[in-house]
Amino acid sequence: MKFDPRTFFSHGDAWRYGRRVIDYARREIVVLVLLVLIAGAAFIFVELASEVLEGDTAAFDRAVLNALRVEGQPGDPVGPHWLEDMARDITSLGGIAILTLVTLISAVYLLLTRKAGAALFIVTAVIGGSLLSSGLKALFERARPDAIYQAVPVFSASFPSGHATLSAVTYLTLGALLMRVQERRRAKVFVMGTAVTLTMLVGLTRVYFGVHWTTDVLAGWTLGAAWAAGAWLVLLLLQRRAGEAEAPPADPQ
């Protein structure tokens, strides 16, 4: 006789409750992954900040910077002129002007589609990330690489990289929001993959142009990723609470 677990667990509705536990675990795995991501990124940022304050990363940072310069010409990044032009276009994607436009356009679109909550969520996440980045820059006050290395003008402190932080906050948060409306896994992977790629390219160009140390960019990536993951977690919890509030009363049977 073939074993049927549904028959075995039929008494006391154990089978039905078991399925509920499995469904609950599947929903909660996303929350657990986000919590691990936030904790891991925060830990890496703290470790980087500690090493930077102690000066232990100075040799590494300078070695990477010199490796990206034409020998004997510290102000000239390696590679052909077209590569430098492309890098300049890419680095602008992490600037305040571009990120503000992207955020405002996204918010207006969400408002037009009657998603005021999502619009407020995006704006709040980006503004909060910007304030956090500015506050940490003022706290650490790390000097930029020497002016002879800098291929583009800069004015603020160096740690963490504002371009790396804010591009991670903006693009990863938008990517997480877009993933929520995608049904196919390929589309979800493409959306988040695009967000991650843009974030990484922006950060790499900051080192390429000699306006940031490598550890500035690494810290910006981890800080931005932690902030975006936290925003994503808040979004999930808010959506879950709204769904529970709008759900019909449970069947007493």
Side-chain angles (χ1 to χ4, degrees), residues 67-71 73 76-85 87 208:
L68 295 175
R69 294 291 172 278
V70 176
E71 187 175 357
Q73 302 180 45
D76 186 11
V78 296
H81 291 296
W82 60 263
L83 178 61
E84 188 172 341
D85 291 338
Y208 179 74

Side-chain angles (χ1 to χ4, degrees), residues 13-208:
D13 295 326
W15 176 257
R16 179 163 55 88
Y17 290 128
R19 290 298 301 272
R20 285 186 179 181
V21 171
I22 294 174
D23 292 339
Y24 178 80
R26 288 175 178 174
R27 292 195 304 268
E28 293 303 315
I29 191 64
V30 177
V31 174
L32 293 176
V33 169
L34 288 174
L35 288 173
V36 170
L37 177 59
I38 294 169
F43 174 79
I44 294 174
F45 177 83
V46 171
E47 288 296 311
L48 280 172
S50 176
E51 294 294 320
V52 167
L53 288 175
E54 294 175 0
D56 295 337
T57 65
F60 166 76
D61 283 326
R62 192 165 293 277
V64 173
L65 200 60
N66 288 327
L68 295 175
R69 294 291 172 278
V70 176
E71 187 175 357
Q73 302 180 45
D76 186 11
V78 296
H81 291 296
W82 60 263
L83 178 61
E84 188 172 341
D85 291 338
M86 289 180 61
R88 185 171 287 106
D89 293 337
I90 292 173
T91 203
S92 64
L93 296 176
I96 292 294
I98 298 298
L99 293 178
T100 299
L101 283 174
V102 170
T103 302
L104 290 177
I105 291 171
S106 302
V108 171
Y109 171 76
L110 291 170
L111 287 173
L112 292 175
T113 55
R114 298 182 179 180
K115 294 180 175 61
L120 178 62
F121 167 78
I122 288 293
V123 173
T124 303
V126 173
I127 292 177
S130 178
L131 293 175
L132 178 62
S133 175
S134 299
L136 289 173
K137 278 179 175 289
L139 177 64
F140 288 100
E141 291 186 338
R142 187 187 192 187
R144 298 265 186 170
D146 299 334
I148 57 174
Y149 288 103
Q150 299 174 12
V152 294
V154 289
F155 309 100
S156 61
S158 191
F159 186 91
S161 167
H163 277 63
T165 302
L166 295 183
S167 60
V169 169
T170 304
Y171 295 129
L172 295 182
T173 302
L174 285 173
L177 189 62
L178 290 174
M179 282 181 62
R180 297 290 296 169
V181 298
Q182 301 297 325
E183 296 182 357
R184 295 187 176 182
R185 182 172 299 179
R186 290 182 180 179
K188 293 177 182 289
V189 172
F190 173 78
V191 168
M192 187 51 67
T194 301
V196 171
T197 301
L198 287 174
T199 299
M200 294 187 66
L201 288 175
V202 169
L204 292 174
T205 59
R206 305 310 286 172
V207 181
Y208 179 74

